[in-house]
Amino acid sequence: MESVKRVAVTGAAGNIGYAILPGIASGGIFGSDTPVRLQLLEIPPAMKALEGVCMEMDDCAFPLLTGLEATDDPRAAFEGADLVLLVGSRPRSKGMERNDLIRVNGPIFVEQGRAIQQAAASGVRAVVVGNPCNTNCLIAMRNAGDVPPDRWSAMTQLDHNRATAQLASKAGAAASDVRRPIIWGNHSNTQYPDWSFATVNGRAAPEAIGDRSWYENTFIGTVQERGKAIIEARGASSAMSAAAAAVQHSRYLFQGTPDGDWTSMAVLSDGSYDVPAGLVSSFPVTCPGDGSHVIVKDLGMDAFGKERLARSVQELAREREVVADLLG
Ligand code: NAD
Ligand code: LMR
């Protein structure tokens, strides 16, 4: 048995919280040999609901779950945490864009960035799910003092999986036959889901699918607007798929991306692909499995892709201006 990993989850009584806890407690992030201790954060009005979630977690009797704590104090929740999943925040409802939440949710990430610096393990990794997740990640990172920026990421794994599913369906293939799509930019409707480097059963996706018009007029918009379509259909934002993606994102960080493969994560730009350094943007990344990520460099983007990415980056820059007072 490996040593116990401490995982903090914020908003643990919410929809994603409810869906994510079993995946963490059954080894989905650190593997089946690593016990986990869960440290769950909620706001005071949701503590009663969180108590119920904890009762259910007890009743699952997960063999790997060695501890379970519920609190409304961020510092207690983040104490010694190896991984912090920042989920707790308001979801959008029908008719809203994700960045309409920026002034409501942004301040949460100021406080929680500070609390991570004060309390988490020295090697902590923080994954931001709460929307607008790229800019919330920037806010938390900028308020976390000496916690290095490469410890932070925001989740575009769900968009990556949506792109995978759409390509598989169009090609008449299984999701597991599709590799290397890319989500560039913001987790918003300006994101650029890119098939240029994707393969289906080893063939280049553009060639295997052979329908550029579908790519430009259907695929990109479907992936960009999938969150909205789910809200319209379900009356609530994605939770099961978001929880599965957050577990997968975290597993890649701690156990690595599959050999020769990449995934998509929003991370602090180093200037790659003309994304200005200092913005948190989605890129193709590989993970060696030690908690770090590496941006895949020097992919030759075509003019169409560059223009799409630039549009999303402009939106990220605008979001950063809107929260300038929260950036620490
Ligand atoms: P939810 O409303 O069901 O749950 C959110 C929970 O967070 C609530 O229980 C609430 O009490 C709690 N909370 C609010 N403020 C908090 C704070 N300061 N500290 C701790 N907890 C707090 O929402 P949900 O469906 O679980 O979604 C959570 C967030 O995740 C939303 O912002 C949503 O837009 C986002 N999301 C992101 C992605 C993505 O791909 N990045 C996907 C789905 C949802
Ligand atoms: C999603 O992509 O499903 C989430 O970001 C929720 C939303 O608001 O769309």
Side-chain angles (χ1 to χ4, degrees), residues 38 42 59 74 85 126 138 151 167 177 181 193-194 251 268 279:
L38 282 169
E42 261 298 348
D59 297 348
L85 291 164
L138 183 66
R151 304 287 176 77
L167 292 172
D177 297 330
D194 184 359
R251 183 173 63 247
L268 191 68
L279 289 175

Side-chain angles (χ1 to χ4, degrees), residues 15-140:
N15 281 304
I16 296 175
Y18 191 76
I20 204 173
L21 298 180
I24 304 170
S26 55
I29 295 177
F30 295 102
S32 53
D33 285 336
T34 306
V36 288
R37 175 188 166 86
L38 282 169
Q39 303 177 176
L40 309 181
L41 181 70
E42 261 298 348
I43 50 175
M47 287 307 287
K48 186 73 186 164
L50 186 56
E51 196 183 311
V53 172
C54 289
M55 288 160 70
E56 286 206 63
M57 288 298 288
D58 283 343
D59 297 348
C60 290
F62 290 110
L64 288 174
L65 188 61
T66 60
L68 182 64
E69 186 191 336
T71 175
D72 60 8
D73 174 356
R75 268 185 297 180
F78 301 153
E79 186 62 44
D82 300 292
L83 169 65
V84 178
L85 291 164
L86 293 167
V87 179
S89 51
R90 208 176 120 187
R92 65 174 163 158
S93 41
K94 275 186 195 173
M96 293 172 79
E97 291 304 332
R98 296 181 187 90
N99 60 16
D100 293 336
L101 297 166
I102 203 163
R103 294 297 316 183
V104 180
N105 286 341
I108 296 173
F109 295 84
V110 173
E111 184 200 11
Q112 294 185 355
R114 289 181 187 144
I116 286 172
Q117 182 204 15
Q118 289 160 0
S122 58
V124 65
R125 263 60 189 181
V127 176
V128 180
V129 175
N131 278 322
C133 64
N134 298 54
T135 297
N136 287 338
C137 181
L138 183 66
I139 294 170

Side-chain angles (χ1 to χ4, degrees), residues 178-202:
V178 176
R179 296 174 62 196
R180 299 185 165 196
I182 300 171
I183 305 299
W184 300 96
N186 200 2
H187 174 63
S188 76
N189 62 7
T190 68
Q191 68 179 255
Y192 174 44
D194 184 359
W195 77 350
S196 312
F197 308 95
T199 59
V200 182
N201 283 317

Side-chain angles (χ1 to χ4, degrees), residues 63-328:
L64 288 174
L65 188 61
T66 60
L68 182 64
E69 186 191 336
T71 175
D72 60 8
D73 174 356
R75 268 185 297 180
F78 301 153
E79 186 62 44
D82 300 292
L83 169 65
V84 178
L85 291 164
L86 293 167
V87 179
S89 51
R90 208 176 120 187
R92 65 174 163 158
S93 41
K94 275 186 195 173
M96 293 172 79
E97 291 304 332
R98 296 181 187 90
N99 60 16
D100 293 336
L101 297 166
I102 203 163
R103 294 297 316 183
V104 180
N105 286 341
I108 296 173
F109 295 84
V110 173
E111 184 200 11
Q112 294 185 355
R114 289 181 187 144
I116 286 172
Q117 182 204 15
Q118 289 160 0
S122 58
V124 65
R125 263 60 189 181
V127 176
V128 180
V129 175
N131 278 322
C133 64
N134 298 54
T135 297
N136 287 338
C137 181
L138 183 66
I139 294 170
M141 173 192 292
R142 292 278 292 266
N143 283 279
D146 56 4
V147 180
D150 63 0
R151 304 287 176 77
W152 299 82
S153 53
M155 187 173 91
T156 50
Q157 182 69 51
L158 177 54
D159 311 282
H160 186 98
N161 293 348
R162 288 168 173 165
T164 299
Q166 293 300 318
L167 292 172
S169 162
K170 180 70 176 171
S176 57
D177 297 330
V178 176
R179 296 174 62 196
R180 299 185 165 196
I182 300 171
I183 305 299
W184 300 96
N186 200 2
H187 174 63
S188 76
N189 62 7
T190 68
Q191 68 179 255
Y192 174 44
D194 184 359
W195 77 350
S196 312
F197 308 95
T199 59
V200 182
N201 283 317
R203 276 182 81 196
E207 186 193 305
I209 290 173
D211 188 345
R212 176 87 196 175
S213 165
W214 171 81
Y215 173 63
E216 289 189 18
N217 301 313
T218 302
F219 169 77
I220 292 175
T222 300
V223 177
Q224 287 173 329
E225 296 288 5
R226 188 68 162 183
K228 178 181 265 182
I230 288 166
I231 290 168
E232 276 163 14
R234 216 171 81 83
S237 75
S238 65
M240 182 208 324
S241 55
V247 168
Q248 190 178 0
H249 173 125
S250 306
R251 183 173 63 247
Y252 286 155
L253 282 176
F254 288 98
Q255 296 197 58
T257 39
D259 264 354
D261 237 338
W262 64 58
T263 193
S264 303
M265 278 183 193
V267 299
L268 191 68
S269 177
D270 57 1
S272 297
Y273 301 99
D274 293 329
V275 179
L279 289 175
V280 172
S281 170
S282 186
F283 292 101
V285 303
T286 56
C287 303
D290 57 0
S292 67
H293 57 261
V294 182
I295 296 174
V296 177
K297 305 281 187 180
D298 301 327
L299 295 172
M301 283 180 94
D302 58 16
F304 178 87
K306 284 182 185 166
E307 191 275 325
R308 291 296 178 124
L309 174 56
R311 214 183 290 174
S312 198
V313 165
Q314 279 168 16
E315 181 184 48
L316 285 169
R318 279 196 304 275
E319 286 185 14
R320 182 172 58 180
E321 279 170 29
V322 171
V323 298
D325 60 317
L326 303 180
L327 291 179

